[in-house]
Amino acid sequence: MSNRNTTTPDHAAASAKFLLDQERANWHDQALWFIRQKRDVTARQIPDWEQLRNAASQIKQNVLANLDDYLIQFEKKALENGIKVHWAADGAEHNRIVLDIIQKHGVQKLVKSKSMLTEECHLNDFLTSNGIDVVDTDLGERIVQLAKEPPSHIVLPSIHKRKEEVGEIFHQHLGTEKGASDPAYLTESARQHLREKFLTADLAITGVNFAIAETGGLVVCTNEGNADMGVHLAKVHIACMGIEKIIPKAEHLGVFLRLLARSATGQPITTYSSHFHKPRAGQEMHLVLVDNGRSTQLGRPHFYNSLKCIRCGACINTCPVYRRSGGHSYHNTIAGPIGAILAPNADMRKNADLPFASTLCGSCTNVCPVKIDIHNQLYQWRQVLVQEGHVPKSKAQGMKVMANVLSNPRLYRVAGKSGRLMMRMMPGLANNKALNPWAKQREMPQPPKESFRDWYLKNRSEK
């Protein structure tokens, strides 16, 4: 039982709450596994899939080793293209820069395409508190925005919502028919609602999937075309990107675009891969480059290559813990295995529970398109967090006891015999879910008649 302070987020407690609705948990699990299977099918259609993964990993390795040079090259080219470039050390500075641009142009309404960086910086809340009407135009993002919830998945923000729940949200906010849950009807309603927002907005904010140092251009990938429509109708375009989104050359795009959509949703490619190199005539284009802890992560030898992440969500879709606990249980902008690596870098105390939200099965590492050793980094974070004193005392003491047992053969044999005896004599105690958290979601196995060691010694002596 965790003795974590109640004010500190606890993934295990949030997961238990999610699992109270077993039907939702089962459906959530199956929906994400379906996407994982689609990923497998499309990946197998490319004979050189593993070579692509190796190439992407090596390109990103080169970027991280020379990030300062590539950023300077990229800024120079972007300025030559007529893009106004800004640098932000953290989320607060990023938000102030964006607000200054908005206020300079007297904008009250803006549209925004999906951007996990702006979620990370809590831009929507900041702008709303300053009287700015922000409309997320990605359908999944718009659903959770109307529901006043954060996204639960970096690619599928409202994957935790049933269609009936979406219907009720749209009925309350968009005036759709009460009880309507037909996806086509709801999608068309959202389309009509968002079209008016696009036409009346003076400013568009987008994220950035890839920034090309060689050309100073940006690439934004969407399936709905909302980034395109927002940017092409607005007088001002603000693109916000983390500094790790750089790739060296345009020719490298082919590697990443082939990997991104296949890994994310099992599509051959995203429906729209939009290239922005300069503002169109009469338009102003800004780019905000954000650090927000990335330099710190780059300096951590065991964790720096997590910055290779291209935000496809493949590790999330395959993770058995994420699928059964839901994205909000991670209490972090980026959920799942990759988020559990990135979050402690931002705040160890607040996110100390997240690296433990894993079975360390390695499935995340197996599907990562840029070959980040995710499960090894989760294991490394656990050691750092314990050494830094960021785990509950009960867990720290329990690990010390287990270390003593596992390092002492005699003590290990005594503990094993005691455990098997207890399970035979008092099976109810071992299966008591209040006393034994391990039994909460599983039936305890029948105790063996003898240990493997005993069996081995007996059979060896018989020979």
Side-chain angles (χ1 to χ4, degrees):
M1 185 72 70
S2 171
N3 63 356
R4 190 181 298 280
N5 188 303
T6 55
T7 60
T8 304
D10 188 331
H11 177 270
S15 301
K17 186 177 179 182
F18 182 80
L19 287 167
L20 290 175
D21 187 342
Q22 274 296 317
E23 182 187 349
R24 185 192 300 274
N26 292 338
W27 160 77
H28 188 265
D29 181 12
Q30 292 163 8
L32 288 162
W33 186 246
F34 173 71
I35 297 170
R36 158 65 203 267
Q37 290 176 313
K38 283 180 64 183
R39 173 261 176 206
D40 292 348
V41 170
T42 52
R44 292 191 192 108
Q45 291 171 350
I46 297 184
D48 56 352
W49 180 253
E50 287 306 312
Q51 286 86 344
L52 270 179
R53 291 178 70 207
N54 284 330
S57 182
Q58 290 168 10
I59 292 168
K60 280 290 188 178
Q61 185 73 26
N62 173 267
V63 167
L64 296 179
N66 303 281
L67 186 57
D68 51 346
D69 291 334
Y70 284 126
L71 284 170
I72 291 170
Q73 182 187 2
F74 173 72
E75 181 189 35
K76 181 174 182 291
K77 290 291 183 182
L79 290 171
E80 288 174 1
N81 294 344
I83 301 172
K84 298 178 185 297
V85 180
H86 310 262
W87 295 83
D90 54 28
E93 187 173 8
H94 162 267
N95 292 347
R96 285 197 300 273
I97 290 170
V98 173
L99 180 62
D100 286 346
I101 298 169
I102 292 169
Q103 291 178 334
K104 175 189 167 189
H105 290 274
V107 172
Q108 293 298 316
K109 295 181 179 179
L110 63 86
V111 290
K112 184 164 76 69
S113 66
K114 188 150 66 65
S115 160
M116 295 314 296
L117 177 71
T118 59
E119 293 287 342
E120 173 186 323
C121 298
H122 306 292
L123 179 65
N124 280 18
D125 292 339
F126 176 77
L127 293 182
T128 301
S129 68
N130 282 278
I132 309 298
D133 182 15
V134 185
V135 175
D136 278 311
T137 55
D138 174 271
L139 179 56
E141 286 271 357
R142 188 58 176 156
I143 291 169
V144 292
Q145 185 182 32
L146 292 173
K148 301 187 186 310
E149 295 178 6
S152 68
H153 188 293
I154 60 176
V155 177
L156 311 160
S158 57
I159 187 66
H160 60 292
K161 292 287 188 192
R162 297 183 177 96
K163 61 182 181 181
E164 291 79 11
E165 293 171 319
V166 175
E168 182 58 27
I169 292 169
F170 280 13
H171 170 67
Q172 291 176 13
H173 295 276
L174 309 186
T176 56
E177 185 181 344
K178 177 74 174 173
S181 61
D182 176 62
Y185 168 73
L186 296 176
T187 304
E188 179 61 24
S189 301
R191 187 179 180 187
Q192 296 301 326
H193 159 71
L194 289 172
R195 184 168 294 274
E196 184 270 334
K197 303 296 182 184
F198 281 121
L199 292 173
T200 57
D202 290 323
L203 187 146
I205 296 176
T206 70
V208 174
N209 288 92
F210 305 104
I212 307 162
E214 178 187 42
T215 65
L218 317 171
V219 177
V220 182
C221 302
T222 71
N223 275 326
E224 299 168 19
N226 52 313
D228 270 358
M229 181 168 281
V231 170
H232 286 97
L233 290 173
K235 298 173 183 174
V236 183
H237 173 199
I238 304 176
C240 305
M241 63 172 271
I243 56 175
E244 82 283 12
K245 293 297 181 72
I246 292 280
I247 61 173
K249 296 183 178 181
E251 68 188 48
H252 297 143
L253 268 176
V255 174
F256 291 100
L257 291 179
R258 294 177 80 191
L259 288 168
L260 178 64
R262 285 179 170 86
S263 299
T265 57
Q267 298 169 247
I269 194 167
T270 45
T271 309
Y272 297 86
S273 298
S274 307
H275 297 243
F276 301 101
H277 288 273
K278 60 183 179 180
R280 70 170 192 277
Q283 187 188 48
E284 195 168 294
M285 182 174 175
H286 296 260
L287 172 68
V288 189
L289 288 152
V290 184
D291 186 319
N292 204 33
R294 287 161 176 78
S295 294
T296 304
Q297 188 83 332
L298 189 61
R300 297 183 190 277
H302 294 303
F303 309 114
Y304 80 94
N305 79 7
S306 61
L307 294 173
K308 293 180 179 179
C309 178
I310 59 173
R311 303 292 193 268
C312 67
C315 63
I316 299 175
N317 299 339
T318 197
C319 177
V321 176
Y322 175 90
R323 297 201 318 265
R324 298 292 300 175
S325 62
H328 291 160
S329 64
Y330 289 80
H331 58 79
N332 183 54
T333 301
I334 299 177
I338 188 65
I341 296 172
L342 299 172
N345 178 60
D347 188 331
M348 279 196 208
R349 185 195 63 81
K350 180 181 175 184
N351 300 305
D353 56 325
L354 296 184
F356 294 90
S358 169
T359 62
L360 301 183
C361 65
S363 184
C364 48
T365 301
N366 289 341
V367 299
C368 177
V370 289
K371 295 205 163 183
I372 301 171
D373 57 336
I374 299 173
H375 72 294
N376 286 328
Q377 293 190 39
L378 290 169
Y379 177 61
Q380 292 281 353
W381 262 124
R382 293 181 184 187
Q383 297 175 59
V384 172
L385 292 166
V386 170
Q387 290 167 0
E388 296 287 333
H390 291 295
V391 297
K393 290 181 180 177
S394 59
K395 179 175 282 186
Q397 289 300 321
M399 290 298 104
K400 286 182 181 177
V401 170
M402 284 306 299
N404 288 331
V405 171
L406 295 173
S407 61
N408 186 321
R410 185 184 297 276
L411 188 57
Y412 176 77
R413 289 196 290 274
V414 171
K417 286 183 179 178
S418 301
R420 291 190 293 276
L421 180 64
M422 186 198 74
M423 291 178 71
R424 280 195 290 270
M425 301 297 291
M426 297 178 285
L429 190 61
N431 282 299
N432 188 305
K433 300 184 189 310
L435 297 175
N436 182 12
W438 187 253
K440 277 186 178 178
Q441 300 294 333
R442 57 176 68 82
E443 294 295 326
M444 296 299 287
Q446 290 296 317
K449 295 179 180 177
E450 57 189 355
S451 69
F452 172 77
R453 181 178 183 277
D454 293 339
W455 175 89
Y456 178 76
L457 291 174
K458 182 174 69 179
N459 286 276
R460 185 179 66 172
S461 62
E462 287 178 353
K463 291 181 179 179

